[in-house]
Amino acid sequence: DDMNEIPDDLEENLWPFSYGIGARVYVNAWGDSESEYSLSSRELDSFVYAHPDSVQVVAGGNSGPDRTSIGSPANAKNAIVVGATQNAVAAYTAYTAQPTVILFQLTRVQS
């Protein structure tokens, strides 16, 4: 099912469609545990550079409390990173390991 997969080319196959129909705020609740500045980090930075009226909010990661806990694309230069101060809370221990992509679309209402 392609709806549960993150595209290989984020800059061309994930964000442009929603940008084209008016979205400017993107919430990326996915990522990996690699702390290296990766291709997805570069693509996020490139997209925001090319679309300065857009904002990318990215989950900080789930890899633990040290300086390499922030994964890609949360280590992008043009991302707002959101994280938590606790983990292993009983209510949140059962989750799927499958990636989930949720696109939020904001629309402007003419008055």
Side-chain angles (χ1 to χ4, degrees):
D1 182 25
D2 289 342
M3 293 301 292
N4 290 326
E5 296 179 12
I6 298 168
D8 289 336
D9 188 339
L10 304 172
E11 191 176 3
E12 294 295 324
N13 297 321
L14 182 62
W15 302 307
F17 172 76
S18 54
Y19 186 89
I21 60 174
R24 296 298 182 264
V25 178
Y26 302 83
V27 177
N28 301 283
W30 55 270
D32 66 41
S33 59
E34 280 295 318
S35 61
E36 300 295 322
Y37 186 78
S38 70
L39 179 60
S40 61
S41 300
R42 284 190 297 276
E43 288 176 339
L44 185 147
D45 283 334
S46 179
F47 183 83
V48 173
Y49 183 81
H51 304 89
D53 58 338
S54 68
V55 174
Q56 295 275 351
V57 180
V58 181
N62 295 316
S63 296
D66 64 37
R67 62 184 173 83
T68 61
S69 296
I70 302 296
S72 176
N75 57 4
K77 300 172 202 154
N78 296 311
I80 297 173
V81 181
V82 179
T85 59
Q86 297 181 19
N87 64 6
V89 176
Y92 301 107
T93 56
Y95 68 94
T96 179
Q98 297 296 322
T100 301
V101 177
I102 302 172
L103 298 176
F104 292 89
Q105 174 185 336
L106 299 179
T107 56
R108 183 175 296 161
V109 177
Q110 299 291 331
S111 54

PDB file of all heavy atoms in Angstrom, residues 22-56:
ATOM      1  N   GLY A  22      -2.169  24.864  -1.910  1.00  0.00           N
ATOM      2  CA  GLY A  22      -2.258  25.899  -0.893  1.00  0.00           C
ATOM      3  C   GLY A  22      -1.678  25.603   0.473  1.00  0.00           C
ATOM      4  O   GLY A  22      -1.647  26.480   1.329  1.00  0.00           O
ATOM      5  N   ALA A  23      -1.211  24.389   0.737  1.00  0.00           N
ATOM      6  CA  ALA A  23      -0.636  24.078   2.055  1.00  0.00           C
ATOM      7  C   ALA A  23       0.696  24.800   2.218  1.00  0.00           C
ATOM      8  O   ALA A  23       1.481  24.888   1.281  1.00  0.00           O
ATOM      9  CB  ALA A  23      -0.445  22.575   2.208  1.00  0.00           C
ATOM     10  N   ARG A  24       0.938  25.323   3.406  1.00  0.00           N
ATOM     11  CA  ARG A  24       2.213  25.975   3.700  1.00  0.00           C
ATOM     12  C   ARG A  24       2.839  25.450   4.991  1.00  0.00           C
ATOM     13  O   ARG A  24       3.995  25.709   5.254  1.00  0.00           O
ATOM     14  CB  ARG A  24       2.026  27.493   3.803  1.00  0.00           C
ATOM     15  CG  ARG A  24       1.571  28.143   2.492  1.00  0.00           C
ATOM     16  CD  ARG A  24       2.597  27.950   1.398  1.00  0.00           C
ATOM     17  NE  ARG A  24       2.246  28.590   0.160  1.00  0.00           N
ATOM     18  CZ  ARG A  24       1.647  27.983  -0.874  1.00  0.00           C
ATOM     19  NH1 ARG A  24       1.305  26.707  -0.803  1.00  0.00           N
ATOM     20  NH2 ARG A  24       1.376  28.635  -1.977  1.00  0.00           N
ATOM     21  N   VAL A  25       2.076  24.739   5.791  1.00  0.00           N
ATOM     22  CA  VAL A  25       2.589  24.155   7.032  1.00  0.00           C
ATOM     23  C   VAL A  25       2.551  22.641   6.878  1.00  0.00           C
ATOM     24  O   VAL A  25       1.517  22.069   6.559  1.00  0.00           O
ATOM     25  CB  VAL A  25       1.751  24.586   8.254  1.00  0.00           C
ATOM     26  CG1 VAL A  25       2.266  23.919   9.523  1.00  0.00           C
ATOM     27  CG2 VAL A  25       1.752  26.103   8.395  1.00  0.00           C
ATOM     28  N   TYR A  26       3.687  21.992   7.108  1.00  0.00           N
ATOM     29  CA  TYR A  26       3.815  20.547   6.940  1.00  0.00           C
ATOM     30  C   TYR A  26       4.215  19.933   8.276  1.00  0.00           C
ATOM     31  O   TYR A  26       5.124  20.420   8.945  1.00  0.00           O
ATOM     32  CB  TYR A  26       4.887  20.216   5.890  1.00  0.00           C
ATOM     33  CG  TYR A  26       4.583  20.829   4.555  1.00  0.00           C
ATOM     34  CD1 TYR A  26       4.906  22.149   4.280  1.00  0.00           C
ATOM     35  CD2 TYR A  26       3.930  20.093   3.579  1.00  0.00           C
ATOM     36  CE1 TYR A  26       4.601  22.720   3.063  1.00  0.00           C
ATOM     37  CE2 TYR A  26       3.627  20.659   2.352  1.00  0.00           C
ATOM     38  CZ  TYR A  26       3.964  21.979   2.107  1.00  0.00           C
ATOM     39  OH  TYR A  26       3.654  22.542   0.905  1.00  0.00           O
ATOM     40  N   VAL A  27       3.521  18.884   8.675  1.00  0.00           N
ATOM     41  CA  VAL A  27       3.842  18.163   9.906  1.00  0.00           C
ATOM     42  C   VAL A  27       4.377  16.798   9.507  1.00  0.00           C
ATOM     43  O   VAL A  27       3.674  16.004   8.890  1.00  0.00           O
ATOM     44  CB  VAL A  27       2.598  18.025  10.814  1.00  0.00           C
ATOM     45  CG1 VAL A  27       2.942  17.220  12.053  1.00  0.00           C
ATOM     46  CG2 VAL A  27       2.049  19.399  11.170  1.00  0.00           C
ATOM     47  N   ASN A  28       5.631  16.545   9.837  1.00  0.00           N
ATOM     48  CA  ASN A  28       6.316  15.305   9.470  1.00  0.00           C
ATOM     49  C   ASN A  28       6.544  14.487  10.737  1.00  0.00           C
ATOM     50  O   ASN A  28       7.516  14.684  11.448  1.00  0.00           O
ATOM     51  CB  ASN A  28       7.649  15.628   8.798  1.00  0.00           C
ATOM     52  CG  ASN A  28       7.459  16.462   7.548  1.00  0.00           C
ATOM     53  OD1 ASN A  28       7.080  15.944   6.514  1.00  0.00           O
ATOM     54  ND2 ASN A  28       7.704  17.752   7.647  1.00  0.00           N
ATOM     55  N   ALA A  29       5.632  13.582  11.011  1.00  0.00           N
ATOM     56  CA  ALA A  29       5.725  12.742  12.214  1.00  0.00           C
ATOM     57  C   ALA A  29       6.392  11.421  11.861  1.00  0.00           C
ATOM     58  O   ALA A  29       5.863  10.350  12.108  1.00  0.00           O
ATOM     59  CB  ALA A  29       4.339  12.527  12.810  1.00  0.00           C
ATOM     60  N   TRP A  30       7.561  11.488  11.264  1.00  0.00           N
ATOM     61  CA  TRP A  30       8.321  10.319  10.843  1.00  0.00           C
ATOM     62  C   TRP A  30       9.794  10.712  10.829  1.00  0.00           C
ATOM     63  O   TRP A  30      10.141  11.874  10.966  1.00  0.00           O
ATOM     64  CB  TRP A  30       7.893   9.864   9.444  1.00  0.00           C
ATOM     65  CG  TRP A  30       7.985  10.955   8.425  1.00  0.00           C
ATOM     66  CD1 TRP A  30       7.003  11.839   8.098  1.00  0.00           C
ATOM     67  CD2 TRP A  30       9.127  11.317   7.644  1.00  0.00           C
ATOM     68  NE1 TRP A  30       7.465  12.735   7.155  1.00  0.00           N
ATOM     69  CE2 TRP A  30       8.772  12.430   6.862  1.00  0.00           C
ATOM     70  CE3 TRP A  30      10.408  10.817   7.532  1.00  0.00           C
ATOM     71  CZ2 TRP A  30       9.647  13.045   5.980  1.00  0.00           C
ATOM     72  CZ3 TRP A  30      11.277  11.421   6.649  1.00  0.00           C
ATOM     73  CH2 TRP A  30      10.897  12.518   5.884  1.00  0.00           C
ATOM     74  N   GLY A  31      10.633   9.769  10.659  1.00  0.00           N
ATOM     75  CA  GLY A  31      12.064  10.025  10.572  1.00  0.00           C
ATOM     76  C   GLY A  31      12.823   8.754  10.878  1.00  0.00           C
ATOM     77  O   GLY A  31      12.234   7.691  11.077  1.00  0.00           O
ATOM     78  N   ASP A  32      14.125   8.862  10.925  1.00  0.00           N
ATOM     79  CA  ASP A  32      14.919   7.689  11.280  1.00  0.00           C
ATOM     80  C   ASP A  32      15.862   8.034  12.422  1.00  0.00           C
ATOM     81  O   ASP A  32      15.969   9.186  12.825  1.00  0.00           O
ATOM     82  CB  ASP A  32      15.651   7.108  10.071  1.00  0.00           C
ATOM     83  CG  ASP A  32      16.704   8.034   9.502  1.00  0.00           C
ATOM     84  OD1 ASP A  32      17.427   8.666  10.288  1.00  0.00           O
ATOM     85  OD2 ASP A  32      16.827   8.104   8.273  1.00  0.00           O
ATOM     86  N   SER A  33      16.532   7.032  12.936  1.00  0.00           N
ATOM     87  CA  SER A  33      17.390   7.235  14.095  1.00  0.00           C
ATOM     88  C   SER A  33      18.814   7.637  13.721  1.00  0.00           C
ATOM     89  O   SER A  33      19.639   7.852  14.598  1.00  0.00           O
ATOM     90  CB  SER A  33      17.413   5.971  14.953  1.00  0.00           C
ATOM     91  OG  SER A  33      17.892   4.886  14.190  1.00  0.00           O
ATOM     92  N   GLU A  34      19.095   7.772  12.438  1.00  0.00           N
ATOM     93  CA  GLU A  34      20.426   8.200  11.997  1.00  0.00           C
ATOM     94  C   GLU A  34      20.604   9.681  12.321  1.00  0.00           C
ATOM     95  O   GLU A  34      19.808  10.507  11.918  1.00  0.00           O
ATOM     96  CB  GLU A  34      20.594   7.987  10.498  1.00  0.00           C
ATOM     97  CG  GLU A  34      20.909   6.581  10.121  1.00  0.00           C
ATOM     98  CD  GLU A  34      22.254   6.126  10.660  1.00  0.00           C
ATOM     99  OE1 GLU A  34      23.231   6.900  10.616  1.00  0.00           O
ATOM    100  OE2 GLU A  34      22.309   4.993  11.149  1.00  0.00           O
ATOM    101  N   SER A  35      21.654  10.018  13.032  1.00  0.00           N
ATOM    102  CA  SER A  35      21.881  11.421  13.381  1.00  0.00           C
ATOM    103  C   SER A  35      22.656  12.167  12.298  1.00  0.00           C
ATOM    104  O   SER A  35      22.846  13.370  12.397  1.00  0.00           O
ATOM    105  CB  SER A  35      22.616  11.523  14.714  1.00  0.00           C
ATOM    106  OG  SER A  35      23.873  10.889  14.635  1.00  0.00           O
ATOM    107  N   GLU A  36      23.081  11.466  11.264  1.00  0.00           N
ATOM    108  CA  GLU A  36      23.794  12.099  10.152  1.00  0.00           C
ATOM    109  C   GLU A  36      22.850  12.992   9.364  1.00  0.00           C
ATOM    110  O   GLU A  36      21.663  12.717   9.249  1.00  0.00           O
ATOM    111  CB  GLU A  36      24.380  11.037   9.226  1.00  0.00           C
ATOM    112  CG  GLU A  36      25.360  10.104   9.887  1.00  0.00           C
ATOM    113  CD  GLU A  36      26.616  10.810  10.357  1.00  0.00           C
ATOM    114  OE1 GLU A  36      27.096  11.711   9.643  1.00  0.00           O
ATOM    115  OE2 GLU A  36      27.101  10.468  11.440  1.00  0.00           O
ATOM    116  N   TYR A  37      23.400  14.056   8.788  1.00  0.00           N
ATOM    117  CA  TYR A  37      22.643  14.927   7.894  1.00  0.00           C
ATOM    118  C   TYR A  37      22.447  14.154   6.594  1.00  0.00           C
ATOM    119  O   TYR A  37      23.358  13.999   5.800  1.00  0.00           O
ATOM    120  CB  TYR A  37      23.420  16.221   7.665  1.00  0.00           C
ATOM    121  CG  TYR A  37      22.694  17.254   6.870  1.00  0.00           C
ATOM    122  CD1 TYR A  37      21.708  18.039   7.441  1.00  0.00           C
ATOM    123  CD2 TYR A  37      23.004  17.463   5.535  1.00  0.00           C
ATOM    124  CE1 TYR A  37      21.053  19.010   6.713  1.00  0.00           C
ATOM    125  CE2 TYR A  37      22.351  18.427   4.788  1.00  0.00           C
ATOM    126  CZ  TYR A  37      21.386  19.198   5.387  1.00  0.00           C
ATOM    127  OH  TYR A  37      20.727  20.156   4.656  1.00  0.00           O
ATOM    128  N   SER A  38      21.237  13.632   6.388  1.00  0.00           N
ATOM    129  CA  SER A  38      20.981  12.682   5.309  1.00  0.00           C
ATOM    130  C   SER A  38      20.295  13.332   4.110  1.00  0.00           C
ATOM    131  O   SER A  38      20.028  14.533   4.102  1.00  0.00           O
ATOM    132  CB  SER A  38      20.090  11.550   5.834  1.00  0.00           C
ATOM    133  OG  SER A  38      18.795  12.057   6.066  1.00  0.00           O
ATOM    134  N   LEU A  39      19.973  12.507   3.145  1.00  0.00           N
ATOM    135  CA  LEU A  39      19.266  12.974   1.960  1.00  0.00           C
ATOM    136  C   LEU A  39      17.926  13.599   2.332  1.00  0.00           C
ATOM    137  O   LEU A  39      17.565  14.645   1.795  1.00  0.00           O
ATOM    138  CB  LEU A  39      19.063  11.818   0.971  1.00  0.00           C
ATOM    139  CG  LEU A  39      18.308  12.165  -0.312  1.00  0.00           C
ATOM    140  CD1 LEU A  39      19.044  13.246  -1.104  1.00  0.00           C
ATOM    141  CD2 LEU A  39      18.099  10.920  -1.153  1.00  0.00           C
ATOM    142  N   SER A  40      17.176  13.003   3.250  1.00  0.00           N
ATOM    143  CA  SER A  40      15.881  13.587   3.619  1.00  0.00           C
ATOM    144  C   SER A  40      16.059  14.946   4.291  1.00  0.00           C
ATOM    145  O   SER A  40      15.252  15.852   4.100  1.00  0.00           O
ATOM    146  CB  SER A  40      15.064  12.633   4.494  1.00  0.00           C
ATOM    147  OG  SER A  40      15.718  12.339   5.695  1.00  0.00           O
ATOM    148  N   SER A  41      17.131  15.129   5.059  1.00  0.00           N
ATOM    149  CA  SER A  41      17.422  16.440   5.656  1.00  0.00           C
ATOM    150  C   SER A  41      17.728  17.462   4.570  1.00  0.00           C
ATOM    151  O   SER A  41      17.228  18.593   4.603  1.00  0.00           O
ATOM    152  CB  SER A  41      18.620  16.340   6.606  1.00  0.00           C
ATOM    153  OG  SER A  41      18.379  15.437   7.642  1.00  0.00           O
ATOM    154  N   ARG A  42      18.553  17.076   3.613  1.00  0.00           N
ATOM    155  CA  ARG A  42      18.896  17.980   2.505  1.00  0.00           C
ATOM    156  C   ARG A  42      17.664  18.344   1.680  1.00  0.00           C
ATOM    157  O   ARG A  42      17.494  19.493   1.273  1.00  0.00           O
ATOM    158  CB  ARG A  42      19.958  17.349   1.610  1.00  0.00           C
ATOM    159  CG  ARG A  42      21.350  17.392   2.212  1.00  0.00           C
ATOM    160  CD  ARG A  42      22.418  16.980   1.209  1.00  0.00           C
ATOM    161  NE  ARG A  42      22.282  15.602   0.749  1.00  0.00           N
ATOM    162  CZ  ARG A  42      22.758  14.543   1.397  1.00  0.00           C
ATOM    163  NH1 ARG A  42      23.393  14.694   2.533  1.00  0.00           N
ATOM    164  NH2 ARG A  42      22.604  13.336   0.905  1.00  0.00           N
ATOM    165  N   GLU A  43      16.798  17.363   1.422  1.00  0.00           N
ATOM    166  CA  GLU A  43      15.595  17.633   0.628  1.00  0.00           C
ATOM    167  C   GLU A  43      14.653  18.582   1.363  1.00  0.00           C
ATOM    168  O   GLU A  43      14.060  19.470   0.751  1.00  0.00           O
ATOM    169  CB  GLU A  43      14.885  16.331   0.287  1.00  0.00           C
ATOM    170  CG  GLU A  43      15.626  15.511  -0.728  1.00  0.00           C
ATOM    171  CD  GLU A  43      14.996  14.164  -1.011  1.00  0.00           C
ATOM    172  OE1 GLU A  43      14.211  13.652  -0.187  1.00  0.00           O
ATOM    173  OE2 GLU A  43      15.299  13.620  -2.080  1.00  0.00           O
ATOM    174  N   LEU A  44      14.516  18.413   2.671  1.00  0.00           N
ATOM    175  CA  LEU A  44      13.680  19.329   3.450  1.00  0.00           C
ATOM    176  C   LEU A  44      14.257  20.737   3.379  1.00  0.00           C
ATOM    177  O   LEU A  44      13.536  21.697   3.107  1.00  0.00           O
ATOM    178  CB  LEU A  44      13.594  18.861   4.905  1.00  0.00           C
ATOM    179  CG  LEU A  44      12.646  19.661   5.790  1.00  0.00           C
ATOM    180  CD1 LEU A  44      12.007  18.761   6.827  1.00  0.00           C
ATOM    181  CD2 LEU A  44      13.336  20.821   6.454  1.00  0.00           C
ATOM    182  N   ASP A  45      15.564  20.876   3.600  1.00  0.00           N
ATOM    183  CA  ASP A  45      16.199  22.196   3.529  1.00  0.00           C
ATOM    184  C   ASP A  45      16.040  22.823   2.153  1.00  0.00           C
ATOM    185  O   ASP A  45      15.745  24.011   2.026  1.00  0.00           O
ATOM    186  CB  ASP A  45      17.684  22.096   3.884  1.00  0.00           C
ATOM    187  CG  ASP A  45      17.909  21.961   5.379  1.00  0.00           C
ATOM    188  OD1 ASP A  45      17.050  22.419   6.163  1.00  0.00           O
ATOM    189  OD2 ASP A  45      18.945  21.405   5.764  1.00  0.00           O
ATOM    190  N   SER A  46      16.207  22.030   1.124  1.00  0.00           N
ATOM    191  CA  SER A  46      16.090  22.530  -0.237  1.00  0.00           C
ATOM    192  C   SER A  46      14.666  22.985  -0.537  1.00  0.00           C
ATOM    193  O   SER A  46      14.451  24.033  -1.155  1.00  0.00           O
ATOM    194  CB  SER A  46      16.526  21.446  -1.223  1.00  0.00           C
ATOM    195  OG  SER A  46      16.396  21.890  -2.544  1.00  0.00           O
ATOM    196  N   PHE A  47      13.679  22.203  -0.092  1.00  0.00           N
ATOM    197  CA  PHE A  47      12.283  22.570  -0.335  1.00  0.00           C
ATOM    198  C   PHE A  47      11.934  23.886   0.366  1.00  0.00           C
ATOM    199  O   PHE A  47      11.320  24.774  -0.224  1.00  0.00           O
ATOM    200  CB  PHE A  47      11.326  21.461   0.129  1.00  0.00           C
ATOM    201  CG  PHE A  47       9.891  21.755  -0.172  1.00  0.00           C
ATOM    202  CD1 PHE A  47       9.366  21.483  -1.424  1.00  0.00           C
ATOM    203  CD2 PHE A  47       9.066  22.310   0.788  1.00  0.00           C
ATOM    204  CE1 PHE A  47       8.041  21.766  -1.724  1.00  0.00           C
ATOM    205  CE2 PHE A  47       7.741  22.602   0.507  1.00  0.00           C
ATOM    206  CZ  PHE A  47       7.231  22.331  -0.754  1.00  0.00           C
ATOM    207  N   VAL A  48      12.346  24.029   1.621  1.00  0.00           N
ATOM    208  CA  VAL A  48      12.035  25.261   2.357  1.00  0.00           C
ATOM    209  C   VAL A  48      12.777  26.449   1.750  1.00  0.00           C
ATOM    210  O   VAL A  48      12.230  27.544   1.648  1.00  0.00           O
ATOM    211  CB  VAL A  48      12.355  25.110   3.861  1.00  0.00           C
ATOM    212  CG1 VAL A  48      12.203  26.434   4.599  1.00  0.00           C
ATOM    213  CG2 VAL A  48      11.453  24.052   4.487  1.00  0.00           C
ATOM    214  N   TYR A  49      14.007  26.240   1.292  1.00  0.00           N
ATOM    215  CA  TYR A  49      14.761  27.311   0.632  1.00  0.00           C
ATOM    216  C   TYR A  49      14.030  27.770  -0.636  1.00  0.00           C
ATOM    217  O   TYR A  49      13.928  28.960  -0.901  1.00  0.00           O
ATOM    218  CB  TYR A  49      16.169  26.827   0.299  1.00  0.00           C
ATOM    219  CG  TYR A  49      17.027  27.896  -0.329  1.00  0.00           C
ATOM    220  CD1 TYR A  49      17.658  28.846   0.458  1.00  0.00           C
ATOM    221  CD2 TYR A  49      17.198  27.952  -1.707  1.00  0.00           C
ATOM    222  CE1 TYR A  49      18.441  29.844  -0.107  1.00  0.00           C
ATOM    223  CE2 TYR A  49      17.972  28.940  -2.289  1.00  0.00           C
ATOM    224  CZ  TYR A  49      18.592  29.876  -1.480  1.00  0.00           C
ATOM    225  OH  TYR A  49      19.363  30.862  -2.050  1.00  0.00           O
ATOM    226  N   ALA A  50      13.514  26.818  -1.399  1.00  0.00           N
ATOM    227  CA  ALA A  50      12.799  27.145  -2.639  1.00  0.00           C
ATOM    228  C   ALA A  50      11.395  27.683  -2.377  1.00  0.00           C
ATOM    229  O   ALA A  50      10.818  28.330  -3.245  1.00  0.00           O
ATOM    230  CB  ALA A  50      12.721  25.905  -3.535  1.00  0.00           C
ATOM    231  N   HIS A  51      10.844  27.391  -1.193  1.00  0.00           N
ATOM    232  CA  HIS A  51       9.488  27.824  -0.835  1.00  0.00           C
ATOM    233  C   HIS A  51       9.543  28.498   0.537  1.00  0.00           C
ATOM    234  O   HIS A  51       9.109  27.925   1.539  1.00  0.00           O
ATOM    235  CB  HIS A  51       8.538  26.621  -0.798  1.00  0.00           C
ATOM    236  CG  HIS A  51       8.507  25.855  -2.075  1.00  0.00           C
ATOM    237  ND1 HIS A  51       9.379  24.817  -2.344  1.00  0.00           N
ATOM    238  CD2 HIS A  51       7.721  25.988  -3.166  1.00  0.00           C
ATOM    239  CE1 HIS A  51       9.118  24.345  -3.559  1.00  0.00           C
ATOM    240  NE2 HIS A  51       8.129  25.042  -4.083  1.00  0.00           N
ATOM    241  N   PRO A  52      10.077  29.714   0.616  1.00  0.00           N
ATOM    242  CA  PRO A  52      10.302  30.355   1.910  1.00  0.00           C
ATOM    243  C   PRO A  52       9.022  30.674   2.684  1.00  0.00           C
ATOM    244  O   PRO A  52       9.092  31.007   3.866  1.00  0.00           O
ATOM    245  CB  PRO A  52      11.074  31.631   1.559  1.00  0.00           C
ATOM    246  CG  PRO A  52      10.785  31.870   0.124  1.00  0.00           C
ATOM    247  CD  PRO A  52      10.533  30.525  -0.496  1.00  0.00           C
ATOM    248  N   ASP A  53       7.872  30.550   2.051  1.00  0.00           N
ATOM    249  CA  ASP A  53       6.603  30.770   2.753  1.00  0.00           C
ATOM    250  C   ASP A  53       6.073  29.483   3.378  1.00  0.00           C
ATOM    251  O   ASP A  53       4.975  29.449   3.906  1.00  0.00           O
ATOM    252  CB  ASP A  53       5.564  31.366   1.811  1.00  0.00           C
ATOM    253  CG  ASP A  53       5.292  30.502   0.590  1.00  0.00           C
ATOM    254  OD1 ASP A  53       6.155  29.678   0.224  1.00  0.00           O
ATOM    255  OD2 ASP A  53       4.210  30.660  -0.005  1.00  0.00           O
ATOM    256  N   SER A  54       6.863  28.414   3.347  1.00  0.00           N
ATOM    257  CA  SER A  54       6.445  27.145   3.944  1.00  0.00           C
ATOM    258  C   SER A  54       7.171  26.913   5.264  1.00  0.00           C
ATOM    259  O   SER A  54       8.247  27.454   5.504  1.00  0.00           O
ATOM    260  CB  SER A  54       6.702  25.978   2.985  1.00  0.00           C
ATOM    261  OG  SER A  54       8.088  25.769   2.821  1.00  0.00           O
ATOM    262  N   VAL A  55       6.549  26.085   6.115  1.00  0.00           N
ATOM    263  CA  VAL A  55       7.119  25.728   7.412  1.00  0.00           C
ATOM    264  C   VAL A  55       7.078  24.211   7.540  1.00  0.00           C
ATOM    265  O   VAL A  55       6.049  23.589   7.278  1.00  0.00           O
ATOM    266  CB  VAL A  55       6.312  26.361   8.570  1.00  0.00           C
ATOM    267  CG1 VAL A  55       6.807  25.875   9.918  1.00  0.00           C
ATOM    268  CG2 VAL A  55       6.358  27.868   8.486  1.00  0.00           C
ATOM    269  N   GLN A  56       8.193  23.628   7.936  1.00  0.00           N
ATOM    270  CA  GLN A  56       8.281  22.181   8.142  1.00  0.00           C
ATOM    271  C   GLN A  56       8.432  21.909   9.633  1.00  0.00           C
ATOM    272  O   GLN A  56       9.415  22.328  10.258  1.00  0.00           O
ATOM    273  CB  GLN A  56       9.487  21.603   7.396  1.00  0.00           C
ATOM    274  CG  GLN A  56       9.393  21.711   5.901  1.00  0.00           C
ATOM    275  CD  GLN A  56       8.614  20.564   5.285  1.00  0.00           C
ATOM    276  OE1 GLN A  56       8.271  19.595   5.943  1.00  0.00           O
ATOM    277  NE2 GLN A  56       8.349  20.673   4.004  1.00  0.00           N
TER     278      GLN A  56
END
